[in-house]
Amino acid sequence: MSDKSGNPGKSGSDAGLSSALRAGRALILLQLLSRLLTFALNQGLVRLASPAVFGTASIQFDLIAATVLFLSREGVRNALLRGGTSNGGGRLAQIPQQLGLAVAAATVGLYLYTSPASTKAQKDFYPALALYVMAALNELAIEPFYIACMRDGRMRVRVQAEGGMAIVRAVVSFACLYLFPDHALLGFAVGHFAGAAWLAARYISAGGALQGDSGDEKIRSLAWANTRQSVVKHVLTEADRIAVGRISPLGDQGGYAVAMNYGMLQTWHG
């Protein structure tokens, strides 16, 4: 097969390159949007919430949610997207949700056991923590839809889902803290959960979840190997927040979260 210029495969090659460039631009815009919205949100929220509440939400609760998500899905996601299989995988893509229940129980149990009484005595502490965990489990539940979208190259769905999540989280969190300042910690949690709900709704509305099994033992072995490695990777990536959350007073954690907010934009600019 050749195009009108007589160069075989040129049209297909150009189409593939154009698609890759569009996907790259979409991801860059998504990252920029997420960083700017997170920065703007934190700048507004730091004026509405106390340092202790801001530190609890931005350092401790965010770390718990990130731990549940990363340890539960990273290995399986990488295996299904990079393992060279294009058919099936639905059963394997459901493992993150099942694994997430165990990871969430272990993470929250350890967190509550090691947290000082002053942290747990904050208003709305337990309902807020529950919403953060539920939001993480909600994201894990739509993993089959996410994998299907990425395999099919539906980058627009990802941009709408993750960009919309950032917008919804920012708007809902700010509204809750502005309208109900006495329930600031719960306001952070409601915004976080609302963002996860938007993400799930957008991916589900796109349809096309993976079905069946991958049928490839190599892919399953790769998934479990990646999951084991993700523990070390996560500890190294989040070492600063783990240390700050364990050592520093809540007020200092809020200050560190503000500094991280500025550093995030500096990293993007660099």
Side-chain angles (χ1 to χ4, degrees), residues 6-40:
N7 294 325
K10 183 177 180 181
S11 297
S13 177
D14 289 347
L17 178 60
S18 177
S19 177
L21 289 175
R22 286 197 300 270
R25 286 196 298 267
L27 288 176
I28 291 173
L29 290 174
L30 174 61
Q31 186 180 21
L32 177 60
L33 173 65
S34 298
R35 286 175 181 261
L36 288 176
L37 282 174
T38 302
F39 177 81

Side-chain angles (χ1 to χ4, degrees), residues 73-83 147 222 226 233:
R73 75 184 180 190
E74 192 69 11
V76 174
R77 174 179 287 187
N78 287 339
L80 286 173
L81 291 178
R82 304 175 185 176
I147 298 296
L222 179 61
N226 287 343
K233 182 179 179 181

Side-chain angles (χ1 to χ4, degrees), residues 74-132:
E74 192 69 11
V76 174
R77 174 179 287 187
N78 287 339
L80 286 173
L81 291 178
R82 304 175 185 176
T85 181
S86 58
N87 297 314
R91 184 177 300 175
L92 188 59
Q94 294 172 5
I95 288 179
Q97 183 182 17
Q98 302 163 6
L99 183 60
L101 293 172
V103 174
T107 302
V108 172
L110 179 62
Y111 170 68
L112 292 176
Y113 179 76
T114 58
S115 294
S118 59
T119 298
K120 294 181 285 188
Q122 294 179 92
K123 190 173 185 178
D124 300 320
F125 174 84
Y126 289 100
L129 176 60
L131 281 175
Y132 268 84

Side-chain angles (χ1 to χ4, degrees), residues 216-229:
D216 191 338
E217 184 62 32
K218 182 179 179 181
I219 299 301
R220 289 192 287 268
S221 298
L222 179 61
W224 287 118
N226 287 343
T227 299
R228 291 193 297 269
Q229 294 172 6

Side-chain angles (χ1 to χ4, degrees), residues 235-260:
V235 171
L236 294 176
T237 302
E238 299 288 359
D240 56 340
R241 288 205 293 181
I242 294 173
V244 170
R246 293 297 89 195
I247 298 173
S248 301
L250 284 177
D252 292 348
Q253 292 180 39
Y256 182 79
V258 173
M260 284 181 59

